[in-house]
Amino acid sequence: MDSRTTTKQGHIFHMTAQVHPIFPEAIVEFGNTGIDQERLLRLYESQEWGDTNADDDPERFLKISRNLKVLNDAPEIKNRFVAIVNEYASEVMRYTNEFHMTTSWFVKTETNKISVLHNHGNAMLCAVYYFGQTGNNKSRICFEKPFVSQFDIKPTAYNVFNGPSHNFEMGNDTVLVFPAYLKHKVLRHDHAETRKSLAMNFMPSGLIGSGATEIHLGKPED
């Protein structure tokens, strides 16, 4: 917002306004990651797949790998993603704790498939990597605002302050890192080519808190 001139009872006021975007959430997109996509694609193609939302209508929803620690079979790729997430943690969030990966699984989204809105429990940070796409195909993911007003007032244009959700269109060899509590969903996949992605959860290790709330978290065994 800019300064503006206001007239009141014959007096002119040069009112100023400054917008303060407090408490934003950091969703960081990394590209050109250096991940060995051919190695990852071979691992993807070796998976067994399970339905999601089987009690509802599994024909509508994407599939995930039955193995929920797929990157334990590719430690060099796992270490690269751990480094990327720790860059987010240290450079963006300014955390001093080291983060480690707890789970990792592939997601297969065929034409017209979706996911339900969800977040990731028992994790502090998440990452989703997109790979194996050809041409200009994009993978779409939607994040919803954690707290939305109960008053349904429509703005003349949506922005980061009034929008209830935000969509990302992700290309090949890109990864999103974000807080695990943020609710998100895979939007309907409208390409003939299967959408391939890798989801990962992360937790901090070391000393957390102080005094009566102090706790020490160790790294889990693979």
Side-chain angles (χ1 to χ4, degrees):
M1 297 179 67
D2 300 321
S3 62
R4 62 188 64 189
T5 301
T6 302
T7 303
K8 182 179 181 181
Q9 296 179 347
H11 298 282
I12 296 177
F13 299 89
H14 297 286
M15 183 176 69
T16 63
Q18 183 176 355
V19 177
H20 296 277
I22 65 172
F23 310 132
E25 292 294 351
I27 301 180
V28 178
E29 177 182 345
F30 294 92
N32 300 318
T33 63
I35 297 297
D36 185 345
Q37 293 189 65
E38 292 185 2
R39 171 77 176 91
L40 198 63
L41 187 58
R42 291 195 300 271
L43 189 61
Y44 170 92
E45 291 173 343
S46 70
Q47 299 302 309
E48 296 181 357
W49 301 95
D51 290 329
T52 57
N53 296 86
D55 293 335
D56 185 2
D57 181 3
E59 295 304 314
R60 294 178 53 208
F61 297 101
L62 52 74
K63 297 178 183 292
I64 65 171
S65 61
R66 295 188 184 278
N67 184 354
L68 299 179
K69 293 188 176 183
V70 296
L71 290 188
N72 285 0
D73 296 327
E76 70 286 357
I77 296 178
K78 178 178 179 178
N79 291 339
R80 179 63 186 138
F81 282 119
V82 169
I84 290 171
V85 169
N86 275 290
E87 181 174 346
Y88 168 99
S90 62
E91 297 301 318
V92 178
M93 303 306 297
R94 299 298 178 180
Y95 297 145
T96 57
N97 292 78
E98 182 181 357
F99 280 74
H100 57 268
M101 185 183 297
T102 56
T103 51
S104 57
W105 63 99
F106 286 115
V107 180
K108 176 193 287 188
T109 310
E110 298 169 315
T111 306
N112 291 326
K113 300 299 176 69
I114 60 174
S115 80
V116 295
L117 184 68
H118 66 283
N119 57 12
H120 293 204
N122 293 329
M124 184 172 176
L125 298 177
C126 294
V128 182
Y129 180 70
Y130 302 90
F131 66 99
Q133 302 173 117
T134 59
N136 294 320
N137 289 351
K138 301 291 185 180
S139 296
R140 298 188 302 146
I141 183 172
C142 174
F143 288 85
E144 291 209 353
K145 190 174 182 178
F147 306 103
V148 180
S149 174
Q150 293 179 319
F151 295 93
D152 188 20
I153 299 176
K154 302 299 184 184
T156 57
Y158 286 102
N159 56 35
V160 296
F161 302 107
N162 61 33
S165 63
H166 185 87
N167 296 346
F168 288 88
E169 292 191 347
M170 304 297 294
N172 214 31
D173 190 27
T174 56
V175 59
L176 283 180
V177 183
F178 55 93
Y181 84 90
L182 285 181
K183 290 188 175 181
H184 54 284
K185 61 183 177 182
V186 175
L187 296 174
R188 188 173 304 280
H189 184 56
D190 54 8
H191 296 293
E193 181 183 38
T194 298
R195 175 190 188 273
K196 304 175 184 68
S197 59
L198 170 71
M200 297 157 279
N201 286 339
F202 296 82
M203 282 288 288
S205 59
L207 182 64
I208 298 175
S210 61
T213 65
E214 179 179 302
I215 187 174
H216 190 281
L217 298 180
K219 294 182 180 180
E221 297 182 1
D222 290 338

Short mmCIF file of all heavy atoms in Angstrom, two decimals, residues 35 40 43 65 67-87 89 97-106 120-129 175-177 198-205 217-222:
data_model
loop_
_atom_site.label_atom_id
_atom_site.label_comp_id
_atom_site.label_asym_id
_atom_site.label_seq_id
_atom_site.Cartn_x
_atom_site.Cartn_y
_atom_site.Cartn_z
N ILE A 35 20.07 -35.02 -8.27
CA ILE A 35 19.60 -36.37 -7.99
C ILE A 35 19.77 -37.25 -9.24
O ILE A 35 19.49 -36.81 -10.37
CB ILE A 35 18.12 -36.36 -7.56
CG1 ILE A 35 17.95 -35.57 -6.24
CG2 ILE A 35 17.56 -37.76 -7.42
CD1 ILE A 35 18.66 -36.18 -5.06
N LEU A 40 16.74 -43.40 -9.61
CA LEU A 40 15.47 -43.28 -8.90
C LEU A 40 14.34 -43.92 -9.70
O LEU A 40 13.45 -44.58 -9.14
CB LEU A 40 15.16 -41.80 -8.62
CG LEU A 40 14.12 -41.50 -7.55
CD1 LEU A 40 14.57 -42.01 -6.19
CD2 LEU A 40 13.82 -40.02 -7.48
N LEU A 43 14.36 -47.63 -9.30
CA LEU A 43 13.81 -47.98 -7.99
C LEU A 43 12.29 -47.86 -7.99
O LEU A 43 11.59 -48.72 -7.44
CB LEU A 43 14.43 -47.07 -6.92
CG LEU A 43 14.15 -47.42 -5.46
CD1 LEU A 43 14.68 -48.81 -5.11
CD2 LEU A 43 14.80 -46.37 -4.54
N SER A 65 3.73 -46.59 -2.90
CA SER A 65 4.51 -47.82 -2.77
C SER A 65 4.24 -48.47 -1.42
O SER A 65 4.03 -47.79 -0.41
CB SER A 65 6.00 -47.50 -2.92
OG SER A 65 6.44 -46.60 -1.91
N ASN A 67 6.43 -50.17 0.14
CA ASN A 67 7.65 -49.90 0.90
C ASN A 67 7.65 -48.43 1.31
O ASN A 67 7.61 -47.53 0.45
CB ASN A 67 8.87 -50.21 0.02
CG ASN A 67 10.18 -50.04 0.77
OD1 ASN A 67 10.21 -49.60 1.92
ND2 ASN A 67 11.28 -50.39 0.13
N LEU A 68 7.67 -48.15 2.58
CA LEU A 68 7.62 -46.78 3.10
C LEU A 68 8.99 -46.27 3.52
O LEU A 68 9.08 -45.22 4.17
CB LEU A 68 6.63 -46.70 4.26
CG LEU A 68 5.19 -47.08 3.90
CD1 LEU A 68 4.29 -47.00 5.12
CD2 LEU A 68 4.66 -46.20 2.77
N LYS A 69 10.03 -47.01 3.16
CA LYS A 69 11.40 -46.55 3.36
C LYS A 69 12.22 -46.88 2.11
O LYS A 69 13.28 -47.50 2.17
CB LYS A 69 12.01 -47.20 4.61
CG LYS A 69 11.34 -46.74 5.91
CD LYS A 69 12.10 -47.24 7.14
CE LYS A 69 11.46 -46.69 8.42
NZ LYS A 69 12.21 -47.10 9.63
N VAL A 70 11.71 -46.44 0.96
CA VAL A 70 12.32 -46.83 -0.31
C VAL A 70 13.75 -46.34 -0.46
O VAL A 70 14.57 -46.99 -1.11
CB VAL A 70 11.46 -46.34 -1.50
CG1 VAL A 70 10.11 -47.01 -1.51
CG2 VAL A 70 11.32 -44.82 -1.49
N LEU A 71 14.08 -45.19 0.13
CA LEU A 71 15.42 -44.66 -0.06
C LEU A 71 16.48 -45.36 0.78
O LEU A 71 17.67 -45.08 0.62
CB LEU A 71 15.44 -43.15 0.21
CG LEU A 71 14.72 -42.30 -0.85
CD1 LEU A 71 14.96 -40.82 -0.59
CD2 LEU A 71 15.14 -42.67 -2.26
N ASN A 72 16.06 -46.27 1.66
CA ASN A 72 17.06 -47.10 2.33
C ASN A 72 17.78 -47.99 1.33
O ASN A 72 18.88 -48.48 1.60
CB ASN A 72 16.40 -47.96 3.41
CG ASN A 72 16.05 -47.14 4.64
OD1 ASN A 72 16.28 -45.94 4.69
ND2 ASN A 72 15.48 -47.80 5.64
N ASP A 73 17.18 -48.19 0.15
CA ASP A 73 17.80 -48.98 -0.90
C ASP A 73 18.65 -48.12 -1.84
O ASP A 73 19.25 -48.64 -2.78
CB ASP A 73 16.73 -49.71 -1.73
CG ASP A 73 15.97 -50.73 -0.90
OD1 ASP A 73 16.59 -51.33 0.00
OD2 ASP A 73 14.77 -50.92 -1.15
N ALA A 74 18.69 -46.83 -1.60
CA ALA A 74 19.51 -45.90 -2.40
C ALA A 74 20.11 -44.85 -1.48
O ALA A 74 19.70 -43.69 -1.50
CB ALA A 74 18.66 -45.26 -3.50
N PRO A 75 21.07 -45.25 -0.63
CA PRO A 75 21.58 -44.34 0.40
C PRO A 75 22.20 -43.06 -0.16
O PRO A 75 22.15 -42.02 0.50
CB PRO A 75 22.62 -45.19 1.14
CG PRO A 75 22.94 -46.32 0.23
CD PRO A 75 21.69 -46.59 -0.56
N GLU A 76 22.79 -43.11 -1.36
CA GLU A 76 23.39 -41.90 -1.91
C GLU A 76 22.32 -40.87 -2.26
O GLU A 76 22.52 -39.65 -2.08
CB GLU A 76 24.24 -42.24 -3.14
CG GLU A 76 23.48 -42.67 -4.39
CD GLU A 76 22.90 -44.08 -4.33
OE1 GLU A 76 23.13 -44.79 -3.33
OE2 GLU A 76 22.23 -44.47 -5.31
N ILE A 77 21.15 -41.33 -2.73
CA ILE A 77 20.05 -40.41 -3.01
C ILE A 77 19.44 -39.92 -1.71
O ILE A 77 19.11 -38.74 -1.55
CB ILE A 77 19.00 -41.09 -3.90
CG1 ILE A 77 19.61 -41.43 -5.27
CG2 ILE A 77 17.77 -40.22 -4.07
CD1 ILE A 77 18.66 -42.15 -6.21
N LYS A 78 19.29 -40.81 -0.75
CA LYS A 78 18.76 -40.43 0.56
C LYS A 78 19.62 -39.34 1.19
O LYS A 78 19.08 -38.33 1.68
CB LYS A 78 18.72 -41.65 1.47
CG LYS A 78 18.22 -41.35 2.89
CD LYS A 78 18.18 -42.63 3.73
CE LYS A 78 17.71 -42.35 5.14
NZ LYS A 78 17.61 -43.58 5.95
N ASN A 79 20.92 -39.49 1.14
CA ASN A 79 21.82 -38.50 1.74
C ASN A 79 21.70 -37.15 1.05
O ASN A 79 21.82 -36.10 1.69
CB ASN A 79 23.26 -38.99 1.69
CG ASN A 79 23.51 -40.17 2.61
OD1 ASN A 79 22.76 -40.39 3.57
ND2 ASN A 79 24.55 -40.94 2.33
N ARG A 80 21.46 -37.17 -0.26
CA ARG A 80 21.31 -35.91 -0.99
C ARG A 80 20.05 -35.18 -0.54
O ARG A 80 20.07 -33.97 -0.33
CB ARG A 80 21.26 -36.19 -2.50
CG ARG A 80 21.07 -34.95 -3.36
CD ARG A 80 22.22 -33.98 -3.21
NE ARG A 80 21.95 -32.75 -3.94
CZ ARG A 80 22.23 -31.54 -3.48
NH1 ARG A 80 22.80 -31.37 -2.29
NH2 ARG A 80 21.97 -30.47 -4.20
N PHE A 81 18.95 -35.89 -0.38
CA PHE A 81 17.72 -35.24 0.09
C PHE A 81 17.85 -34.76 1.53
O PHE A 81 17.33 -33.69 1.89
CB PHE A 81 16.53 -36.18 -0.05
CG PHE A 81 16.00 -36.29 -1.45
CD1 PHE A 81 15.99 -37.50 -2.12
CD2 PHE A 81 15.52 -35.16 -2.11
CE1 PHE A 81 15.49 -37.59 -3.42
CE2 PHE A 81 15.03 -35.24 -3.40
CZ PHE A 81 15.02 -36.46 -4.06
N VAL A 82 18.54 -35.52 2.35
CA VAL A 82 18.77 -35.06 3.73
C VAL A 82 19.56 -33.75 3.72
O VAL A 82 19.26 -32.83 4.49
CB VAL A 82 19.51 -36.15 4.54
CG1 VAL A 82 20.00 -35.60 5.87
CG2 VAL A 82 18.60 -37.35 4.77
N ALA A 83 20.54 -33.63 2.83
CA ALA A 83 21.32 -32.40 2.72
C ALA A 83 20.45 -31.24 2.27
O ALA A 83 20.59 -30.11 2.77
CB ALA A 83 22.48 -32.61 1.75
N ILE A 84 19.55 -31.48 1.32
CA ILE A 84 18.66 -30.42 0.83
C ILE A 84 17.75 -29.93 1.95
O ILE A 84 17.58 -28.72 2.16
CB ILE A 84 17.84 -30.93 -0.37
CG1 ILE A 84 18.75 -31.11 -1.58
CG2 ILE A 84 16.70 -29.96 -0.69
CD1 ILE A 84 18.08 -31.81 -2.75
N VAL A 85 17.16 -30.86 2.70
CA VAL A 85 16.25 -30.46 3.78
C VAL A 85 17.01 -29.74 4.89
O VAL A 85 16.51 -28.78 5.48
CB VAL A 85 15.49 -31.69 4.31
CG1 VAL A 85 14.76 -31.37 5.61
CG2 VAL A 85 14.51 -32.18 3.26
N ASN A 86 18.22 -30.16 5.17
CA ASN A 86 19.00 -29.46 6.18
C ASN A 86 19.44 -28.07 5.72
O ASN A 86 19.64 -27.17 6.55
CB ASN A 86 20.21 -30.30 6.59
CG ASN A 86 19.86 -31.31 7.67
OD1 ASN A 86 19.60 -30.95 8.82
ND2 ASN A 86 19.82 -32.58 7.31
N GLU A 87 19.55 -27.87 4.40
CA GLU A 87 19.80 -26.52 3.89
C GLU A 87 18.59 -25.64 4.15
O GLU A 87 18.72 -24.47 4.55
CB GLU A 87 20.13 -26.57 2.40
CG GLU A 87 20.43 -25.20 1.81
CD GLU A 87 20.88 -25.26 0.36
OE1 GLU A 87 21.21 -26.36 -0.11
OE2 GLU A 87 20.90 -24.20 -0.29
N ALA A 89 16.44 -26.10 6.56
CA ALA A 89 16.36 -25.91 8.01
C ALA A 89 17.35 -24.86 8.51
O ALA A 89 17.00 -24.02 9.35
CB ALA A 89 16.59 -27.24 8.72
N ASN A 97 19.42 -27.58 14.84
CA ASN A 97 19.29 -29.04 14.91
C ASN A 97 19.48 -29.67 13.54
O ASN A 97 19.11 -29.10 12.52
CB ASN A 97 17.92 -29.44 15.46
CG ASN A 97 17.74 -29.06 16.91
OD1 ASN A 97 17.48 -27.90 17.22
ND2 ASN A 97 17.89 -30.03 17.81
N GLU A 98 20.03 -30.87 13.54
CA GLU A 98 20.14 -31.63 12.31
C GLU A 98 18.85 -32.40 12.09
O GLU A 98 18.25 -32.93 13.03
CB GLU A 98 21.32 -32.61 12.40
CG GLU A 98 21.53 -33.42 11.15
CD GLU A 98 22.68 -34.39 11.29
OE1 GLU A 98 23.34 -34.39 12.35
OE2 GLU A 98 22.91 -35.17 10.34
N PHE A 99 18.41 -32.48 10.83
CA PHE A 99 17.20 -33.22 10.49
C PHE A 99 17.57 -34.52 9.79
O PHE A 99 18.50 -34.58 9.00
CB PHE A 99 16.29 -32.38 9.58
CG PHE A 99 15.48 -31.37 10.34
CD1 PHE A 99 16.08 -30.21 10.84
CD2 PHE A 99 14.13 -31.57 10.58
CE1 PHE A 99 15.35 -29.28 11.55
CE2 PHE A 99 13.38 -30.64 11.28
CZ PHE A 99 13.99 -29.50 11.78
N HIS A 100 16.81 -35.56 10.08
CA HIS A 100 17.04 -36.86 9.46
C HIS A 100 15.73 -37.36 8.85
O HIS A 100 14.64 -36.96 9.26
CB HIS A 100 17.56 -37.87 10.49
CG HIS A 100 16.65 -38.04 11.67
ND1 HIS A 100 16.79 -37.31 12.83
CD2 HIS A 100 15.58 -38.84 11.87
CE1 HIS A 100 15.85 -37.66 13.69
NE2 HIS A 100 15.09 -38.58 13.13
N MET A 101 15.86 -38.24 7.88
CA MET A 101 14.70 -38.79 7.20
C MET A 101 14.13 -39.96 7.99
O MET A 101 14.86 -40.82 8.45
CB MET A 101 15.09 -39.25 5.79
CG MET A 101 13.93 -39.72 4.93
SD MET A 101 14.48 -40.32 3.30
CE MET A 101 15.20 -38.83 2.61
N THR A 102 12.81 -39.97 8.14
CA THR A 102 12.16 -41.06 8.86
C THR A 102 11.49 -42.04 7.90
O THR A 102 11.57 -43.26 8.09
CB THR A 102 11.12 -40.53 9.85
OG1 THR A 102 10.17 -39.70 9.14
CG2 THR A 102 11.78 -39.72 10.95
N THR A 103 10.80 -41.53 6.89
CA THR A 103 10.12 -42.38 5.92
C THR A 103 10.23 -41.79 4.53
O THR A 103 10.44 -40.57 4.37
CB THR A 103 8.62 -42.54 6.26
OG1 THR A 103 8.04 -41.25 6.46
CG2 THR A 103 8.42 -43.38 7.51
N SER A 104 10.10 -42.65 3.53
CA SER A 104 10.13 -42.20 2.13
C SER A 104 9.34 -43.20 1.29
O SER A 104 9.47 -44.41 1.48
CB SER A 104 11.58 -42.11 1.63
OG SER A 104 12.27 -43.35 1.78
N TRP A 105 8.52 -42.69 0.39
CA TRP A 105 7.68 -43.58 -0.42
C TRP A 105 7.39 -42.93 -1.77
O TRP A 105 7.35 -41.72 -1.91
CB TRP A 105 6.38 -43.93 0.31
CG TRP A 105 5.46 -42.78 0.58
CD1 TRP A 105 4.36 -42.39 -0.14
CD2 TRP A 105 5.56 -41.83 1.67
NE1 TRP A 105 3.77 -41.29 0.42
CE2 TRP A 105 4.48 -40.92 1.52
CE3 TRP A 105 6.45 -41.67 2.74
CZ2 TRP A 105 4.27 -39.86 2.42
CZ3 TRP A 105 6.24 -40.62 3.62
CH2 TRP A 105 5.16 -39.74 3.46
N PHE A 106 7.20 -43.78 -2.77
CA PHE A 106 6.86 -43.30 -4.09
C PHE A 106 5.34 -43.12 -4.21
O PHE A 106 4.55 -43.81 -3.56
CB PHE A 106 7.31 -44.29 -5.16
CG PHE A 106 8.79 -44.28 -5.40
CD1 PHE A 106 9.56 -45.40 -5.09
CD2 PHE A 106 9.42 -43.17 -5.94
CE1 PHE A 106 10.92 -45.41 -5.32
CE2 PHE A 106 10.78 -43.17 -6.18
CZ PHE A 106 11.54 -44.29 -5.86
N HIS A 120 1.00 -34.55 7.23
CA HIS A 120 1.84 -35.69 7.60
C HIS A 120 2.07 -35.68 9.10
O HIS A 120 2.75 -34.79 9.63
CB HIS A 120 3.18 -35.63 6.86
CG HIS A 120 3.05 -35.83 5.38
ND1 HIS A 120 4.09 -36.28 4.60
CD2 HIS A 120 2.01 -35.64 4.54
CE1 HIS A 120 3.69 -36.36 3.34
NE2 HIS A 120 2.43 -35.96 3.28
N GLY A 121 1.52 -36.67 9.79
CA GLY A 121 1.72 -36.79 11.23
C GLY A 121 3.09 -37.35 11.57
O GLY A 121 3.77 -37.95 10.73
N ASN A 122 3.50 -37.13 12.80
CA ASN A 122 4.78 -37.64 13.30
C ASN A 122 5.96 -37.20 12.44
O ASN A 122 6.90 -37.95 12.20
CB ASN A 122 4.75 -39.17 13.42
CG ASN A 122 3.78 -39.64 14.47
OD1 ASN A 122 3.55 -38.95 15.47
ND2 ASN A 122 3.19 -40.80 14.26
N ALA A 123 5.89 -35.96 11.97
CA ALA A 123 6.98 -35.37 11.19
C ALA A 123 6.97 -33.87 11.44
O ALA A 123 5.92 -33.29 11.78
CB ALA A 123 6.83 -35.66 9.71
N MET A 124 8.12 -33.24 11.27
CA MET A 124 8.19 -31.78 11.39
C MET A 124 8.31 -31.13 10.02
O MET A 124 7.71 -30.08 9.77
CB MET A 124 9.37 -31.36 12.27
CG MET A 124 9.45 -29.86 12.50
SD MET A 124 10.70 -29.42 13.72
CE MET A 124 10.60 -27.63 13.65
N LEU A 125 9.08 -31.76 9.12
CA LEU A 125 9.24 -31.25 7.76
C LEU A 125 8.92 -32.35 6.76
O LEU A 125 9.07 -33.53 7.06
CB LEU A 125 10.67 -30.74 7.53
CG LEU A 125 11.15 -29.57 8.40
CD1 LEU A 125 12.60 -29.24 8.09
CD2 LEU A 125 10.27 -28.34 8.21
N CYS A 126 8.49 -31.94 5.58
CA CYS A 126 8.23 -32.87 4.49
C CYS A 126 8.93 -32.37 3.23
O CYS A 126 9.23 -31.18 3.09
CB CYS A 126 6.73 -32.97 4.18
SG CYS A 126 5.76 -33.68 5.50
N ALA A 127 9.16 -33.29 2.32
CA ALA A 127 9.68 -32.94 1.00
C ALA A 127 9.00 -33.82 -0.02
O ALA A 127 8.69 -34.99 0.25
CB ALA A 127 11.19 -33.11 0.94
N VAL A 128 8.74 -33.25 -1.20
CA VAL A 128 8.19 -34.01 -2.33
C VAL A 128 9.05 -33.71 -3.55
O VAL A 128 9.26 -32.55 -3.90
CB VAL A 128 6.72 -33.66 -2.60
CG1 VAL A 128 6.19 -34.52 -3.76
CG2 VAL A 128 5.86 -33.86 -1.37
N TYR A 129 9.53 -34.78 -4.18
CA TYR A 129 10.40 -34.66 -5.35
C TYR A 129 9.66 -35.16 -6.58
O TYR A 129 8.98 -36.20 -6.54
CB TYR A 129 11.68 -35.47 -5.13
CG TYR A 129 12.65 -35.42 -6.29
CD1 TYR A 129 13.34 -34.26 -6.59
CD2 TYR A 129 12.88 -36.56 -7.07
CE1 TYR A 129 14.24 -34.22 -7.65
CE2 TYR A 129 13.79 -36.52 -8.12
CZ TYR A 129 14.46 -35.34 -8.41
OH TYR A 129 15.35 -35.31 -9.45
N VAL A 175 12.04 -30.16 -6.14
CA VAL A 175 11.59 -30.66 -4.84
C VAL A 175 11.02 -29.51 -4.03
O VAL A 175 11.57 -28.40 -4.04
CB VAL A 175 12.74 -31.37 -4.08
CG1 VAL A 175 13.92 -30.45 -3.84
CG2 VAL A 175 12.24 -31.96 -2.77
N LEU A 176 9.90 -29.76 -3.37
CA LEU A 176 9.30 -28.81 -2.44
C LEU A 176 9.59 -29.27 -1.01
O LEU A 176 9.40 -30.45 -0.69
CB LEU A 176 7.79 -28.71 -2.62
CG LEU A 176 7.23 -27.91 -3.79
CD1 LEU A 176 5.71 -27.96 -3.76
CD2 LEU A 176 7.70 -26.46 -3.74
N VAL A 177 10.02 -28.34 -0.16
CA VAL A 177 10.21 -28.62 1.26
C VAL A 177 9.26 -27.70 2.04
O VAL A 177 9.19 -26.50 1.76
CB VAL A 177 11.67 -28.38 1.70
CG1 VAL A 177 11.85 -28.74 3.17
CG2 VAL A 177 12.63 -29.18 0.82
N LEU A 198 8.14 -38.58 -5.25
CA LEU A 198 8.72 -39.23 -4.07
C LEU A 198 8.42 -38.35 -2.87
O LEU A 198 8.78 -37.16 -2.86
CB LEU A 198 10.23 -39.39 -4.26
CG LEU A 198 11.04 -39.83 -3.04
CD1 LEU A 198 10.76 -41.30 -2.73
CD2 LEU A 198 12.54 -39.63 -3.29
N ALA A 199 7.76 -38.91 -1.86
CA ALA A 199 7.43 -38.16 -0.65
C ALA A 199 8.34 -38.59 0.49
O ALA A 199 8.69 -39.77 0.60
CB ALA A 199 5.97 -38.39 -0.27
N MET A 200 8.70 -37.64 1.36
CA MET A 200 9.64 -37.91 2.45
C MET A 200 9.25 -37.13 3.69
O MET A 200 8.79 -36.00 3.60
CB MET A 200 11.06 -37.50 2.02
CG MET A 200 11.61 -38.28 0.85
SD MET A 200 12.94 -37.37 -0.03
CE MET A 200 11.97 -36.25 -1.05
N ASN A 201 9.44 -37.75 4.85
CA ASN A 201 9.22 -37.10 6.14
C ASN A 201 10.54 -36.95 6.88
O ASN A 201 11.43 -37.81 6.77
CB ASN A 201 8.25 -37.90 7.00
CG ASN A 201 6.81 -37.79 6.53
OD1 ASN A 201 6.45 -36.85 5.84
ND2 ASN A 201 5.99 -38.74 6.93
N PHE A 202 10.62 -35.89 7.70
CA PHE A 202 11.86 -35.59 8.42
C PHE A 202 11.54 -35.15 9.85
O PHE A 202 10.52 -34.50 10.10
CB PHE A 202 12.64 -34.47 7.72
CG PHE A 202 13.11 -34.84 6.35
CD1 PHE A 202 12.28 -34.75 5.26
CD2 PHE A 202 14.41 -35.29 6.15
CE1 PHE A 202 12.71 -35.09 3.99
CE2 PHE A 202 14.85 -35.64 4.88
CZ PHE A 202 14.00 -35.54 3.80
N MET A 203 12.46 -35.52 10.75
CA MET A 203 12.38 -35.10 12.14
C MET A 203 13.73 -34.54 12.59
O MET A 203 14.78 -34.96 12.07
CB MET A 203 11.99 -36.28 13.03
CG MET A 203 10.51 -36.61 12.98
SD MET A 203 9.49 -35.38 13.84
CE MET A 203 9.90 -35.76 15.55
N PRO A 204 13.72 -33.62 13.57
CA PRO A 204 15.00 -33.11 14.09
C PRO A 204 15.60 -34.09 15.09
O PRO A 204 14.89 -34.92 15.68
CB PRO A 204 14.59 -31.81 14.78
CG PRO A 204 13.18 -32.07 15.25
CD PRO A 204 12.57 -32.94 14.18
N SER A 205 16.89 -33.99 15.28
CA SER A 205 17.56 -34.76 16.32
C SER A 205 18.36 -33.80 17.19
O SER A 205 18.55 -32.63 16.85
CB SER A 205 18.49 -35.82 15.71
OG SER A 205 19.46 -35.21 14.87
N LEU A 217 16.29 -35.88 21.20
CA LEU A 217 15.84 -36.86 20.22
C LEU A 217 17.04 -37.41 19.46
O LEU A 217 17.89 -36.66 18.97
CB LEU A 217 14.87 -36.21 19.21
CG LEU A 217 13.56 -35.66 19.79
CD1 LEU A 217 12.72 -35.06 18.68
CD2 LEU A 217 12.79 -36.75 20.51
N GLY A 218 17.11 -38.72 19.37
CA GLY A 218 18.19 -39.36 18.64
C GLY A 218 17.75 -39.72 17.23
O GLY A 218 16.57 -39.66 16.88
N LYS A 219 18.70 -40.13 16.40
CA LYS A 219 18.39 -40.57 15.05
C LYS A 219 17.86 -42.00 15.12
O LYS A 219 18.39 -42.83 15.84
CB LYS A 219 19.65 -40.53 14.18
CG LYS A 219 20.19 -39.14 13.93
CD LYS A 219 21.40 -39.19 13.02
CE LYS A 219 21.97 -37.80 12.76
NZ LYS A 219 23.16 -37.87 11.86
N PRO A 220 16.82 -42.29 14.35
CA PRO A 220 16.28 -43.67 14.36
C PRO A 220 17.21 -44.62 13.60
O PRO A 220 17.97 -44.20 12.71
CB PRO A 220 14.95 -43.52 13.65
CG PRO A 220 15.17 -42.38 12.71
CD PRO A 220 16.09 -41.43 13.44
N GLU A 221 17.14 -45.87 13.94
CA GLU A 221 17.86 -46.87 13.16
C GLU A 221 17.07 -47.16 11.90
O GLU A 221 15.86 -47.22 11.89
CB GLU A 221 18.01 -48.17 13.98
CG GLU A 221 18.85 -47.99 15.24
CD GLU A 221 19.03 -49.30 15.98
OE1 GLU A 221 18.52 -50.33 15.49
OE2 GLU A 221 19.64 -49.28 17.07
N ASP A 222 17.79 -47.32 10.79
CA ASP A 222 17.13 -47.58 9.50
C ASP A 222 16.42 -48.94 9.53
O ASP A 222 16.86 -49.86 10.16
CB ASP A 222 18.15 -47.55 8.36
CG ASP A 222 18.66 -46.13 8.11
OD1 ASP A 222 17.95 -45.19 8.49
OD2 ASP A 222 19.77 -46.00 7.55
#
